[in-house]
Amino acid sequence: MCKECDKKTFYITTPIYYPSGNPHIGHTYTTVACDSIARYKRMQGYDVMFLTGTDEHGQKIEEKAREQGITPKQYVDNIVAIFKKLWEYMNINYDRYIRTTDDYHVESVQKIFKELYDRGYIYKGEYAGKYCTPCESFWTESQLVDGKCPDCGREVIEAKEEAYFFKMAPFAERIEKLLTETDYLRPRTRATELVNNFLQPSVDENGNKTYGLEDLCVSRTSFTWGIPVTFDPKHVVYVWIDALSNYITALGYENGAYDDYKKYWPADVHMVAKDIMRFHAIIWPAMLMALEQPLPKHLAVHGWITFNGQKMSKSLGNVVDPFILGERYGVDAIRYHILREMALGADSSFSNEIMINRINTDLANGLGNLVSRTVAMIDKYFGGALPTEREDGDFDDDLKAVATALKAKVDDYIENTQLNNALEEVFKLVSRANKYIDETTPWILGKDESKRARLASVLYNLLESIRIAATLLSAFMPTTMPKVFEQIGATEYAKYEDADKFGVLPLDVTVHRGEAIFPRIDVDKEIEELNAIIKNNEPKEEPAFDMPAHKPEIAFDEFEKVEMRVAKVLACEKVKKSKKLLKFTLDDGEGERIILSGIAEYYDPEELVGKNIAYVANLAPRKMMGIESCGMILSAESGDGLKVVTIDDSILPGGSLV
């Protein structure tokens, strides 16, 4: 409750998006979901703060800017402009947009870092381990999946540098209880996964519990695009203290830009995708505990929008552009589709066919058809204005019961961030109203002058059902629902507080026939056109690799000096203290031969054991890393790096290449 007034407050946030590329339909889902909840809460009378923004620091941004020959700030400014344009296009009504390059945020983060240091929760050390540049995440060997980043599946690199660390262990037990004993995490089914993978609790024979929660690296020295640590300027604050703090700095925590912290904090809902769940479920609560600040009430975790079973990815060329979809079907149809398809916690499959069928079934055949049929019949039978005489009949009570019970059900689903269920419930009323038309047969009633009062009742009941459905849908489809209200004569009566009442419209309500709310789409034609658009927008195929420059011509007698032979790989191992070298032990037909080759980044050594390979046999020996190498393994350049030239097994070791 707001201390300055009696109005209830509600604070909801999207994650702040990383502007390393243009926004896509995945970003759009989270933002539309939060926007819809914020709009619904405003309808309920809450004083709402809806926050979104961008996380603009880090090594990846620095590298992207360098590639384009511009400053990191110029780079993020360009991308942020596209984000804001998309949110305007998608009718996102956020209250505040935070950028981590904003001066007030920088000021707050520096104070937060210093406070955590002064409290003894941050200390200086050295980091050595696995690092994923795209995710800006450090990992232990045990956390890797098949040697790769467990979040994005990309390759990791060895990283070693001086760094500050945040102590996580003091908060492990409280975090476990937060995840397993409260409803902080939605859905709660993910709690066990987080506890087992990251807290790693174990109990000894005496019943004492210990945790394997590792301290968090919170500063970097290997790049400069970040917020400097005030008391050690060669360090910049690493991503998670910088990024996660946005939820409170945007309210004025430790800065003078705003004064909303006491009013809105703690947040009612943080909504994030599952790939950043760990940071919000474990690290963010630990930071707040260390600062002795209240914890957010709920963390709502949704899945990914997948395309043919794969997470949407620019590198795969399967990113769906929301601008294109909105231009073809209208923004509200896209908002509805993505919200209706995504169940909290689960992935949602995107395809052209699923989307078009959903638009046709629910919006065109369902809601659109209900509105157009009802208005058309009132126009036809009563000249656009209903008479006041009424006559009740069969099926009325059932329709009214469904309609008046709807608001409480939608309220509950919104409260639990289950937007797909809320929409499903609304469209049960739409379906019931369409069925009511078939049951009451108004086209037959219209032929009987004595049934005018009954016909007026049927059509009035339909208008009321549409009013209730459209009022609750206003939060999800804010552009289209006002058009519905105008057509059914409900513009002045579309109030949330009346959405559980029947009989709100005037008995002599006047309708205004208009264009179809959601025109039906020709499925086959549209899929063909959409597929063509997606294909045209796919990244142009690049050459597999840069063709190497040709070397100077040599005489045949010079070439004859090169002796190339076949050998079998008896053993292969990495050379200690070298990232590039593999040590080959070969059977060259005369005995064993040792050759070093700089291909370690392209092969696991055991892959090559037992293979016949080609090598230069008469190259003068040379020492590398203290090991004498007698020859050179022949390799070929490819799009994936270097590939060893292998020879058919029928050629015995020692055979000559001529």
Side-chain angles (χ1 to χ4, degrees):
M1 182 75 70
C2 169
K3 292 181 180 178
E4 290 77 21
C5 60
D6 293 330
K7 201 172 185 182
K8 296 177 293 184
T9 60
F10 185 83
Y11 181 30
I12 186 168
T13 72
T14 71
I16 51 173
Y17 303 112
Y18 199 54
S20 58
N22 291 342
H24 54 69
I25 200 87
H27 302 106
T28 304
Y29 170 79
T30 319
T31 315
V32 167
C34 289
D35 179 69
S36 298
I37 294 172
R39 287 176 180 273
Y40 199 91
K41 288 294 180 179
R42 291 189 194 107
M43 286 199 312
Q44 290 180 313
Y46 283 81
D47 177 353
V48 173
M49 172 61 71
F50 168 26
L51 176 72
T52 190
T54 32
D55 168 20
E56 301 179 15
H57 292 124
Q59 186 175 0
K60 190 174 181 181
I61 296 293
E62 191 173 75
E63 291 173 355
K64 289 267 189 179
R66 187 182 302 117
E67 289 170 6
Q68 295 187 14
I70 57 179
T71 67
K73 186 60 165 61
Q74 290 172 322
Y75 176 84
V76 293
D77 283 349
N78 293 338
I79 302 294
V80 167
I82 298 172
F83 269 91
K84 288 187 172 182
K85 180 181 177 183
L86 177 59
W87 300 156
E88 181 180 3
Y89 182 72
M90 294 301 298
N91 208 348
I92 303 298
N93 187 21
Y94 56 79
D95 296 291
R96 198 160 292 169
Y97 190 104
I98 186 171
R99 301 179 60 178
T100 56
T101 51
D102 289 335
D103 290 342
Y104 74 87
H105 176 77
V106 172
E107 174 191 353
S108 295
V109 168
Q110 289 178 323
K111 290 178 179 178
I112 289 169
F113 195 96
K114 181 66 162 59
E115 182 176 352
L116 292 172
Y117 179 79
D118 291 342
R119 287 172 177 259
Y121 292 118
I122 286 181
Y123 64 93
K124 184 185 282 190
E126 182 179 72
Y127 183 83
K130 310 296 182 180
Y131 180 66
C132 175
T133 301
C135 292
E136 300 206 28
S137 298
F138 286 106
W139 303 100
T140 62
E141 191 74 44
S142 64
Q143 290 172 332
L144 301 179
V145 177
D146 297 328
K148 297 179 180 178
C149 173
D151 275 352
C152 71
R154 294 181 177 92
E155 298 289 342
V156 294
I157 60 173
E158 293 287 343
K160 185 176 182 180
E161 63 183 273
E162 180 183 275
Y164 284 93
F165 291 83
F166 175 64
K167 296 177 182 178
M168 296 291 295
F171 313 105
E173 184 175 1
R174 290 172 63 188
I175 291 171
E176 182 184 23
K177 289 181 178 179
L178 175 71
L179 297 177
T180 59
E181 298 179 11
T182 76
D183 65 345
Y184 171 68
L185 187 62
R186 294 175 173 173
R188 290 184 64 179
T189 51
R190 292 196 176 275
T192 302
E193 165 194 343
L194 285 167
V195 170
N196 291 342
N197 289 349
F198 298 105
L199 298 180
Q200 302 168 345
S202 60
V203 182
D204 62 22
E205 62 274 13
N206 297 319
N208 299 314
K209 182 178 280 191
T210 57
Y211 294 90
L213 186 60
E214 297 189 353
D215 290 350
L216 180 71
C217 178
V218 292
S219 80
R220 299 293 302 278
T221 57
S222 56
F223 61 89
T224 60
W225 180 238
I227 298 174
V229 174
T230 53
F231 54 89
D232 198 347
K234 71 176 180 179
H235 289 257
V236 295
V237 178
Y238 186 46
V239 60
W240 294 111
I241 282 187
D242 178 3
L244 291 167
S245 296
N246 92 90
Y247 302 124
I248 55 177
T249 65
L251 300 178
Y253 184 84
E254 293 288 9
N255 67 70
Y258 298 105
D259 188 24
D260 299 316
Y261 183 70
K262 290 182 180 179
K263 180 178 180 182
Y264 291 111
W265 191 257
D268 292 272
V269 176
H270 289 317
M271 184 171 285
V272 300
K274 64 183 181 180
D275 51 347
I276 55 173
M277 169 178 63
R278 173 176 72 100
F279 308 107
H280 288 79
I282 296 176
I283 295 171
W284 179 224
M287 286 173 54
L288 291 167
M289 290 172 187
L291 293 168
E292 298 182 1
Q293 297 301 313
L295 301 185
K297 297 175 186 176
H298 299 293
L299 174 65
V301 180
H302 65 77
W304 292 327
I305 295 179
T306 61
F307 190 92
N308 295 329
Q310 296 174 301
K311 181 187 176 185
M312 287 200 178
S313 163
K314 290 183 177 64
S315 61
L316 296 174
N318 64 7
V319 167
V320 177
D321 189 335
F323 284 107
I324 292 175
L325 298 180
E327 287 169 6
R328 297 185 75 83
Y329 314 116
V331 166
D332 276 1
I334 305 309
R335 285 176 63 112
Y336 174 78
H337 170 68
I338 59 178
L339 294 177
R340 181 68 179 81
E341 289 294 323
M342 178 78 80
L344 189 68
D347 290 346
S348 168
S349 178
F350 183 94
S351 75
N352 299 335
E353 189 169 3
I354 291 172
M355 176 185 62
I356 294 168
N357 284 333
R358 172 67 70 187
I359 293 172
N360 275 346
T361 302
D362 290 3
L363 301 182
N365 296 349
L367 180 61
N369 191 41
L370 176 62
V371 172
S372 62
R373 290 170 78 188
T374 303
V375 172
M377 286 189 288
I378 294 172
D379 200 43
K380 177 180 179 180
Y381 297 123
F382 298 109
L386 288 178
T388 58
E389 296 83 4
R390 294 288 181 267
E391 180 185 327
D392 294 338
D394 294 338
F395 314 110
D396 293 1
D397 289 344
D398 185 58
L399 176 65
K400 292 176 183 179
V402 173
T404 54
L406 178 61
K407 187 174 83 166
K409 294 177 180 179
V410 174
D411 285 356
D412 187 59
Y413 285 128
I414 293 291
E415 192 64 31
N416 289 284
T417 56
Q418 297 174 355
L419 303 188
N420 66 313
N421 291 336
L423 289 170
E424 181 181 7
E425 208 63 46
V426 174
F427 275 81
K428 287 180 182 178
L429 172 58
V430 172
S431 297
R432 183 66 191 88
N434 275 315
K435 183 181 178 183
Y436 178 77
I437 295 177
D438 296 333
E439 292 168 335
T440 56
T441 60
W443 55 90
I444 295 176
L445 296 174
K447 296 176 182 179
D448 188 342
E449 189 67 26
S450 68
K451 297 294 185 182
R452 283 179 62 81
R454 177 59 186 149
L455 176 59
S457 293
V458 167
L459 296 175
Y460 181 83
N461 292 342
L462 291 171
L463 290 178
E464 278 291 87
S465 299
I466 295 169
R467 175 188 61 82
I468 290 171
T471 298
L472 299 176
L473 286 173
S474 295
F476 305 94
M477 295 186 279
T479 303
T480 309
M481 291 310 106
K483 298 176 184 177
V484 173
F485 297 138
E486 183 179 356
Q487 289 200 24
I488 68 170
T491 301
E492 298 177 21
Y493 305 96
K495 299 175 182 177
Y496 168 82
E497 54 268 28
D498 292 331
D500 56 356
K501 300 180 180 70
F502 214 89
V504 171
L505 288 172
L507 291 178
D508 58 352
V509 59
T510 300
V511 299
H512 307 278
R513 199 168 182 177
E515 295 181 355
I517 300 300
F518 293 105
R520 183 171 174 77
I521 301 168
D522 183 327
V523 178
D524 294 336
K525 179 182 177 183
E526 193 64 22
I527 288 176
E528 184 179 340
E529 292 184 12
L530 261 186
N531 288 342
I533 291 171
I534 291 173
K535 186 172 181 62
N536 289 338
N537 286 342
E538 285 178 356
K540 297 293 184 287
E541 188 173 341
E542 299 289 341
F545 63 96
D546 293 331
M547 186 68 70
H550 291 289
K551 294 182 179 180
E553 200 174 77
I554 60 173
F556 183 73
D557 57 349
E558 291 180 272
F559 172 72
E560 279 194 307
K561 295 177 183 178
V562 180
E563 180 184 352
M564 292 181 287
R565 291 186 178 273
V566 176
K568 182 178 285 294
V569 180
L570 300 175
C572 184
E573 59 185 316
K574 289 185 177 180
V575 176
K576 293 180 180 179
K577 298 183 180 180
S578 173
K579 293 182 179 180
K580 294 184 177 181
L581 293 176
L582 290 181
K583 176 185 174 184
F584 287 81
T585 302
L586 305 176
D587 172 7
D588 65 1
E590 298 176 347
E592 290 188 0
R593 175 188 291 256
I594 303 297
I595 296 180
L596 303 185
S597 181
I599 58 172
E601 61 186 295
Y602 307 114
Y603 284 98
D604 292 325
E606 56 270 19
E607 288 183 65
L608 297 165
V609 175
K611 293 187 180 295
N612 275 4
I613 56 93
Y615 73 101
V616 177
N618 63 336
L619 189 67
R622 62 172 178 157
K623 277 196 173 183
M624 293 183 283
M625 304 297 290
I627 303 171
E628 187 172 70
S629 177
C630 301
M632 176 183 286
I633 306 290
L634 293 185
S635 298
E637 290 185 343
S638 75
D640 298 325
L642 295 177
K643 297 293 183 184
V644 171
V645 176
T646 57
I647 305 296
D648 190 278
D649 288 344
S650 63
I651 309 298
L652 296 177
S656 180
L657 273 67
V658 295

